[in-house]
Amino acid sequence: MVGHMAQQYVENHENADRVSLVSDRPATVSDNFAFAFDIDGVLLRGGRAIPEAVDALRYINGDNPYSIKVPYIFVTNGGGKTEEERCLDLSKQLQLDISPGQFICGHTPMREMADKYHTVLVVGGEGEKCRVVAEGYGFKDVITPGDIIKTKDDTTPFRRLTDDEYKNSRFRDLKNTRIEAVFVFADSRDWAGDQQIILDCLMSVNGHLGTRSETGNEGPPVFFSHTDVVWATSHEHCRLGMGALRASLEAVYKAITGRELSTIAFGKPQLGTYHFAMRLLQQWRKDTHDINKPPRTVYFVGDTPESDVRGTNEFNDVSEAEWVSLLVKTGVFQDGATPKYQPGHTCENVLEAVKYAVEREQARSKGEIDDVDSGIDSESACLRN
């Protein structure tokens, strides 16, 4: 684990930080390290900023004793809106300008699949927002569950479209439509209806709705934008997320067909999402800060051991850069629990996390802390006496 003596270094400097939080020197941009932040449970909870979030971002934007700015991106499993809309919302919530160039949501990497699949079923989210996202990614023919229900209203016996849903949904020639892939972009607002329609696709002959495969395994692939079973909201207890829908779908499919269902997931902890994040971070550093080299260390601040910590630790094993997982106690993970995947360091909140990382890098720059290969499990990452 990242050295316990580094934490002592932070504690030793707390009094000095309280006296003078800001240096009079002009802020300079650090080119050696960067941050990646989860959002829900780290910066926001229930759509509102966690108290320390605004101060944390001010801190890494130069409002710190060392007058340094640290480049950062956001990597969230959430979705259901365009990246532009999410950034506008986040900018208001966190009181600073956030660009789509530094933002990844769960379905962002799916845009790279638009050239592979023409006609797709897109599930989840509010109203038509996920259709708008998919079309913005370049998918040519986007179908929603509402389109199918509007065309054939007995598809879901207990679901009736609202007036707005009916107005915005589109009639389809289902007999001559072949669904090539199913993408769950955001959390379902109707588990029963959405699962029924996804199952109809899975059990069809090559994605032709209305047909039934004799083997039950000739349908299109199903992609989920993430696998979080629970997530942190304004409720005192975590709420079910997309990973729960995935588990439910797989269980129902097996109950009907006797077969295991293999689905494909994006988002954290999938390594592909971290590779995508690293490319985005390097491009953001180059475009915004004129830094044309990868960071030596990336600190990922998250609240979910099963996705944030696991993904960061596993990516650290294959990445040329050091990736350090910082786990906060303001979301899914709570004080007193034992994380299934061990973080590089556990912090009370995001402000403590960024201060810890900055102090660690300051100690490293002064030769007071050893460079380490992994930075996560090695006790060599401690301060020299």
Side-chain angles (χ1 to χ4, degrees), residues 34-251:
F35 285 99
F37 295 98
D38 183 25
I39 296 177
D40 292 306
V42 175
L43 299 170
L44 304 179
R45 184 148 187 168
R48 295 184 178 181
I50 288 172
E52 297 81 8
V54 173
D55 287 340
L57 293 176
R58 287 175 178 165
Y59 192 87
I60 62 173
N61 274 292
D63 193 358
N64 58 68
Y66 308 104
S67 294
I68 59 169
K69 293 182 178 181
V70 187
Y72 57 94
I73 61 172
F74 303 91
V75 185
T76 175
N77 276 347
K81 300 178 181 179
T82 65
E83 286 78 1
E84 291 79 8
E85 186 176 355
R86 284 300 306 271
C87 287
L88 286 173
D89 292 342
L90 198 58
S91 296
K92 295 175 183 177
Q93 292 159 328
L94 297 177
Q95 302 174 30
L96 80 167
D97 291 333
I98 295 169
S99 165
Q102 59 184 147
F103 187 90
I104 299 173
C105 59
H107 48 65
T108 302
M110 290 179 173
R111 67 189 183 197
E112 297 183 341
M113 307 187 76
D115 291 335
K116 184 174 182 179
Y117 299 107
H118 183 274
T119 301
V120 298
L121 174 68
V122 171
V123 177
E126 298 177 355
E128 294 287 288
K129 289 187 176 182
C130 284
R131 192 203 306 268
V132 172
V133 172
E135 291 175 344
Y137 287 169
F139 287 99
K140 302 298 188 297
D141 187 18
V142 180
I143 301 174
T144 69
D147 296 345
I148 296 171
I149 297 170
K150 181 174 182 175
T151 303
K152 189 170 174 57
D153 63 6
D154 59 355
T155 298
T156 53
F158 306 113
R159 165 88 186 276
R160 291 293 178 267
L161 299 179
T162 66
D163 290 342
D164 282 343
E165 289 173 333
Y166 189 88
K167 177 182 177 181
N168 293 321
S169 297
R170 306 169 186 175
F171 281 111
R172 302 287 311 204
D173 181 3
L174 296 180
K175 291 183 178 179
N176 294 304
T177 298
R178 175 175 173 259
I179 295 175
E180 300 170 27
V182 178
F183 290 93
V184 184
F185 266 38
D187 288 295
S188 169
R189 271 55 174 177
D190 174 29
W191 274 37
D194 288 346
Q195 284 190 87
Q196 179 66 73
I197 291 171
I198 296 172
L199 285 166
D200 285 344
C201 292
L202 286 168
M203 299 173 65
S204 69
V205 178
N206 296 323
H208 293 284
L209 290 176
T211 66
R212 270 294 183 268
S213 166
E214 293 183 2
T215 60
N217 65 345
E218 299 179 74
V222 180
F223 300 91
F224 285 84
S225 66
H226 68 84
T227 58
D228 285 349
V229 175
V230 296
W231 64 297
T233 72
S234 57
H235 196 275
E236 62 268 24
H237 300 298
C238 294
R239 304 289 87 185
L240 293 178
M242 189 182 297
L245 174 67
R246 184 191 190 198
S248 176
L249 178 69
E250 291 173 348

